Amino acid sequence: GQGVDEPLSATGFRQADAAGVFLSNVKFTHVFSSDLLRAKQTCAAILGKNKFCRDLEIKYDARLRERKYGVAEGRPLADLKAMAKDAGEQCPSFTPSGGETLDEVRERARDFFEFLCQLAVGLEQKEPGASSRSSGTPKEQFVFPWTNHCSEGEPSCEGSESSKWLDANILVVSHGAYMRNWIGYFVSDLSCALPANLTKSQLSSVSPNTGVSHFVVKLENGNLSKPEITCVCLNQDSHL
């Protein structure tokens, strides 16, 4: 939750370092993180391992915070499940007293995503054609570590032109329950295209710590109302 702002554990730092090594060849243009300490430390560790953008400014945003769990915060997950059972509800959709509803979390995610879209469109309008795709940056700096085994036809597959048309390559560091709601918003509200082998249980599961999900967002002619979203991978954990 939000109320207990604890630092990463020793295991958390190791996982963050592993994610940083995993993403070390990816050149990001922007970095955003939740303003909670564990996310800040994860983000700093990832950038600390990056070959190209260690000095890139991290922008902290409260909209990326974990879901607020009210009276359940700081208590074991078993307590939250017991509260949900007593209320006759399922745990994921149950809202403890003082907590956020799933709709409220999704609204935060929607607001932040629309902000990112406006950012990307603003970059293109400010400097038409002068984006990362024409910066002269070697292509390998944009290659994601899972492109060698993505399925045929995905926009980031090796040999594709994705590295040439990315106007922004944005790293967002957030939290498990929040990101599950954000992905649900992508799928249910924006008709995000999913990998063919993705199961329903995988789609509804919470990402492991430092799990990596990759989405390609196209805004045709700067149209903010109809983003075209493709999920390249979800909750990738091969670095753990």
Side-chain angles (χ1 to χ4, degrees):
Q2 301 180 11
V4 182
D5 196 13
E6 289 290 313
L8 290 176
S9 65
T11 299
F13 277 112
R14 288 194 295 271
Q15 291 171 331
D17 284 343
V21 172
F22 184 61
L23 297 171
S24 61
N25 286 315
V26 182
K27 184 175 181 180
F28 298 104
T29 58
H30 302 77
V31 180
F32 293 91
S33 170
S34 158
D35 61 351
L36 296 179
L37 181 57
R38 57 192 184 274
K40 287 182 175 181
Q41 292 174 327
T42 299
C43 192
I46 291 173
L47 283 192
K49 299 291 185 181
N50 196 278
K51 296 179 181 178
F52 308 108
C53 44
R54 292 179 182 176
D55 297 325
L56 194 61
E57 179 187 4
I58 302 172
K59 295 184 179 180
Y60 302 108
D61 198 305
R63 289 173 293 184
L64 294 173
R65 288 182 179 180
E66 180 60 290
R67 182 185 180 190
K68 185 178 180 181
Y69 284 93
V71 296
E73 294 198 346
R75 298 168 64 174
L77 178 60
D79 287 3
L80 177 63
K81 291 181 176 179
M83 290 179 192
K85 184 177 180 180
D86 289 343
E89 298 182 34
Q90 296 295 317
C91 190
S93 59
F94 171 67
T95 303
S97 177
E100 280 183 296
T101 66
L102 294 183
D103 285 343
E104 288 171 333
V105 178
R106 183 170 295 198
E107 178 61 23
R108 277 202 285 128
R110 182 196 64 77
D111 188 58
F112 184 77
F113 176 64
E114 290 181 354
F115 159 75
L116 290 186
C117 290
Q118 290 169 349
L119 171 67
V121 168
L123 290 172
E124 181 63 16
Q125 291 174 344
K126 184 177 179 181
E127 299 181 72
S131 63
S132 59
R133 61 188 174 201
S134 57
S135 64
T137 304
K139 182 176 180 179
E140 59 268 19
Q141 294 186 7
F142 291 94
V143 172
F144 294 92
W146 49 84
T147 55
N148 289 335
H149 54 79
C150 64
S151 63
E152 188 174 340
E154 286 177 346
S156 67
C157 282
E158 189 171 8
S160 77
E161 297 299 304
S162 63
S163 64
K164 297 181 180 179
W165 53 253
L166 284 178
D167 292 308
N169 192 23
I170 302 172
L171 172 66
V172 176
V173 179
S174 186
H175 307 268
Y178 175 89
M179 291 304 300
R180 179 171 61 182
N181 278 269
W182 190 348
I183 292 164
Y185 162 65
F186 274 3
V187 174
S188 63
D189 292 24
L190 300 179
S191 302
C192 173
L194 299 170
N197 60 348
L198 193 69
T199 66
K200 287 186 178 180
S201 61
Q202 288 173 318
L203 183 61
S204 62
S205 65
V206 173
S207 173
N209 289 340
T210 71
V212 178
S213 297
H214 178 196
F215 297 89
V216 176
V217 180
K218 290 184 182 180
L219 297 164
E220 199 68 34
N221 299 319
N223 187 348
L224 293 170
S225 64
K226 293 184 178 180
E228 180 184 326
I229 307 174
T230 300
C231 176
V232 178
C233 69
L234 189 69
N235 301 337
Q236 170 73 244
D237 64 354
S238 60
H239 55 286
L240 296 177

